[in-house]
């Protein structure tokens, strides 16, 4: 294929990706009640995480302060849901475009990286939705300096925090994949990561403190523990120095 043929093929790939993403987002937009039943579930004690933990009943009320805010949040949330649903198709289309230029061994590695990277990102997002974000909402949404001061949380603040933490945790969970790539490039090895374990623990605590805007040690531990386990798993994945 010529250079212009490649551009035509890339254009076709982008068009197919946009069409599928828009269709998925449109479906999510139409399913407003089902979509926000999932998104807003962590704000009440009926959420599965709170029921398993035996948390006392509570209900965090959200408010809207802008004329167009609810519609724009609905639109943005539907778009995020569309991208999330269409992400396997997006990755498959991009890989299908790139794979003809790869050798057989490179194609196997690329398939492994794409699959593992996607699964780890989804795992980080799920962990945030079911554990880290609910603990954050429970602590910050019910915290009061005085009974005379009521919390009035906005829908915008709730959604921004949820989407930001999902994105950050998804990226953090790419640590084993990135470590494997760096190890294959010869930039790091198992001995190096073991020798840097103490520094890594400090860095993990700092990252956990940034991700979770709470001040209690329990939530900090809940966030830091999976990141530390990812670091230990990365040590096992990276090759040793011969």
């Amino acid at each position: 294929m010529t250079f212009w043929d490649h551009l035509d093929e890339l254009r076709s790939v982008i068009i197919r990706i946009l069409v599928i993403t828009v269709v998925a987002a449109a479906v999510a937009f139409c399913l407003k009640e089902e979509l926000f039943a999932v998104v807003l579930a962590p704000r009440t004690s009926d959420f599965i995480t709170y029921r398993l933990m035996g948390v006392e009943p509570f209900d965090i009320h959200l408010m809207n302060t802008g004329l167009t805010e609810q519609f724009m949040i609905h639109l943005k949330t539907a778009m995020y849901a569309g991208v999330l649903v269409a992400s396997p198709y997006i990755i498959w289309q991009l890989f299908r475009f790139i794979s003809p230029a790869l050798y057989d061994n490179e194609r196997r590695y690329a398939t492994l990286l794409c699959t593992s990277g996607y699964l780890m990102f989804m795992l980080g997002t799920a962990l945030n939705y079911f554990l880290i974000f609910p603990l954050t909402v429970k602590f910050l949404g019910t915290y009061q300096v005085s009974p005379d001061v009521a919390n009035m949380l906005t829908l915008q603040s709730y959604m921004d925090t949820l989407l930001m933490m999902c994105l950050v945790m998804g990226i953090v969970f790419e640590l084993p994949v990135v470590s494997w790539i760096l190890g294959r490039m010869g930039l790091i090895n198992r001995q190096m990561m073991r020798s840097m374990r103490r520094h890594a623990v400090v860095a993990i605590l700092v990252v956990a403190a940034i991700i979770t805007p709470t001040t209690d040690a329990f939530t900090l531990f809940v966030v830091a523990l999976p990141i530390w386990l990812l670091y230990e798993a990365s040590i096992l994945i990276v090759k040793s120095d011969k």
Side-chain angles (χ1 to χ4, degrees):
M1 296 177 65
T2 65
F3 174 76
W4 298 109
D5 291 334
H6 281 294
L7 284 183
D8 289 337
E9 179 63 23
L10 178 60
R11 182 184 62 180
S12 300
V13 169
I14 294 175
I15 291 175
R16 288 194 292 268
I17 289 174
L18 289 176
V19 169
I20 295 299
T21 303
V22 170
V23 169
V27 172
F29 186 86
C30 295
L31 299 175
K32 179 178 67 174
E33 293 185 4
E34 291 79 3
L35 176 63
F36 281 92
V38 174
V39 171
L40 300 179
R43 69 180 182 84
T44 68
S45 56
D46 292 332
F47 191 57
I48 183 172
T49 302
Y50 302 134
R51 286 191 275 115
L52 292 175
M53 296 176 61
V55 174
E56 296 181 359
F58 73 95
D59 188 359
I60 299 175
H61 297 281
L62 302 177
M63 60 179 295
N64 176 59
T65 58
L67 180 62
T68 62
E69 190 171 281
Q70 290 204 54
F71 176 77
M72 295 305 298
I73 289 176
H74 183 192
L75 192 64
K76 182 170 67 173
T77 305
M79 183 58 65
Y80 277 110
V83 172
L84 191 64
V85 171
S87 56
Y89 180 81
I90 294 173
I91 295 174
W92 177 70
Q93 281 292 326
L94 294 176
F95 179 78
R96 187 165 167 263
F97 174 75
I98 297 173
S99 61
L102 303 176
Y103 294 108
D104 290 339
N105 62 330
E106 293 174 337
R107 192 176 294 110
R108 287 194 297 269
Y109 282 129
T111 302
L112 177 63
L113 285 176
C114 290
T115 304
S116 58
Y118 175 76
L119 292 177
M120 291 303 296
F121 185 89
M122 296 303 294
L123 180 61
T125 301
L127 179 68
N128 176 70
Y129 175 77
F130 285 105
L131 184 61
I132 298 174
F133 180 71
L135 293 177
T136 302
V137 169
K138 172 66 171 60
F139 178 80
L140 295 180
T142 59
Y143 183 83
Q144 291 179 286
V145 295
S146 171
D148 298 328
V149 182
N151 288 327
M152 301 181 66
L153 305 180
T154 64
L155 177 62
Q156 182 71 54
S157 173
Y158 179 93
M159 292 302 303
D160 287 346
T161 304
L162 173 61
L163 295 175
M164 183 272 295
M165 292 182 66
C166 283
L167 178 62
V168 172
M169 286 304 299
I171 294 174
V172 167
F173 265 63
E174 298 294 336
L175 177 61
V177 179
V178 174
S179 298
W180 184 83
I181 295 175
L182 295 178
R184 296 291 300 182
M185 296 173 62
L187 298 179
I188 61 174
N189 55 59
R190 189 173 300 172
Q191 287 75 11
M192 180 188 302
M193 295 188 69
R194 284 175 175 170
S195 64
M196 297 292 292
R197 184 179 275 120
R198 294 182 179 179
H199 302 85
V201 170
V202 175
I204 288 170
L205 291 175
V206 172
V207 171
I210 295 174
I211 295 175
T212 309
T214 61
T215 56
D216 61 299
F218 175 74
T219 307
L220 180 65
F221 173 77
V222 169
V223 178
L225 178 60
I227 302 177
W228 174 72
L229 293 176
L230 288 173
Y231 185 83
E232 295 297 327
S234 301
I235 294 178
L236 300 177
I237 292 172
V238 174
K239 294 193 304 182
S240 60
D241 187 19
K242 298 180 180 180

